[in-house]
Amino acid sequence: FLLDDKHLCFAIGDVSGKGIPASLFMAVTRTLLRSLAHQDKPTSLIVSEINATLCLNNDSNMFVTFFIGILDTSTGKLRYCNAGHNPPVLTKKDGHTAFFDITKGIPLGLFGDFSFTEQHTTLSNGDKLFLYTDGLTEAENSNKELFSDSRLLSVLQSSSANSPANLVRNVLDAVNKHVNGNEQSDDLTMLSILFHGV
């Protein structure tokens, strides 16, 4: 995430593969984000520019699922773009919890000329955003049962966490309880944002 006086730019991604090649590919993605993200630039353009660069000389056909948002912290207006990543979850102050309406797009690094779409929504005071990678919802117990989208929504809706850090801990505790010591098959990443309106 990147922050200035009036904007919060945040992103989450999940790279294909494992090991050093995957780490390097994600490191390049992060570097591109930091150099290309600008508050006045549409998120779809940021994503398109990252994608075009990642597609150059990508002989290994690696890719990154990616979601970016730019939040105007003075108004609550949120611009966002999705590139094949899991939809974030929005929990309203009244407790209503639902997945974002997203245009799926495709992961970054596959097709350099793909046209991405920017979408918009407005957050209200007390709204919470929760972003994650699929290692969370696809965490399995010994019976091969996934943690699942529905369990995630249930945990987020019932959580009384008063801070993003506590919300992340609550979700992680629920995942650990579900897998019950079963070997982890994929890494998982979480990011939570609590919006305090003016």
Side-chain angles (χ1 to χ4, degrees):
F1 62 89
L2 312 167
L3 185 66
D4 65 23
D5 291 340
K6 234 183 111 176
H7 299 87
L8 172 67
C9 174
F10 58 92
I12 190 168
D14 195 6
V15 66
S16 62
K18 300 187 184 300
I20 293 175
S23 297
L24 291 174
F25 201 74
M26 184 56 85
V28 170
T29 304
R30 287 180 50 147
T31 300
L32 289 170
L33 171 65
R34 290 185 177 275
S35 65
L36 296 171
H38 189 276
Q39 63 191 38
D40 296 325
K41 189 184 291 186
T43 55
S44 54
L45 181 57
I46 296 169
V47 170
S48 294
E49 291 176 345
I50 294 173
N51 180 55
T53 303
L54 290 177
C55 285
L56 296 174
N57 303 315
N58 184 15
D59 297 331
S60 61
N61 292 318
M62 299 191 75
F63 60 87
V64 179
T65 65
F66 191 77
F67 180 96
I68 182 175
I70 297 180
L71 174 65
D72 186 322
T73 57
S74 65
T75 65
K77 291 181 179 178
L78 174 64
R79 298 177 285 120
Y80 61 94
C81 182
N82 187 58
H85 198 75
N86 303 76
V89 179
L90 174 61
T91 301
K92 304 295 287 182
K93 190 174 183 179
D94 64 8
H96 177 72
T97 302
F99 289 106
F100 261 49
D101 174 28
I102 60 168
T103 300
K104 289 189 176 181
I106 63 169
L108 306 180
L110 297 177
F111 301 102
D113 58 353
F114 185 83
S115 181
F116 293 92
T117 303
E118 179 172 84
Q119 295 176 266
H120 306 83
T121 191
T122 301
L123 303 184
S124 301
N125 184 42
D127 288 354
K128 299 174 192 172
L129 288 177
F130 184 83
L131 299 92
Y132 59 97
T133 56
D134 61 9
L136 191 155
T137 50
E138 295 176 3
E140 293 182 340
N141 61 19
S142 58
N143 295 322
K144 301 296 184 184
E145 295 171 329
L146 301 181
F147 184 71
S148 75
D149 291 348
S150 59
R151 282 191 178 91
L152 175 59
L153 286 179
S154 178
V155 170
L156 293 174
Q157 188 159 18
S158 62
S159 175
S160 59
N162 57 3
S163 72
N166 287 337
L167 184 62
V168 167
R169 287 190 197 98
N170 287 353
V171 174
L172 186 57
D173 287 345
V175 172
N176 288 335
K177 183 177 180 182
H178 171 76
V179 300
N180 193 27
N182 193 44
E183 185 177 354
Q184 186 175 333
S185 59
D186 194 7
D187 57 342
L188 58 91
T189 301
M190 293 177 277
L191 171 66
S192 179
I193 299 167
L194 172 61
F195 177 63
H196 288 292
V198 293

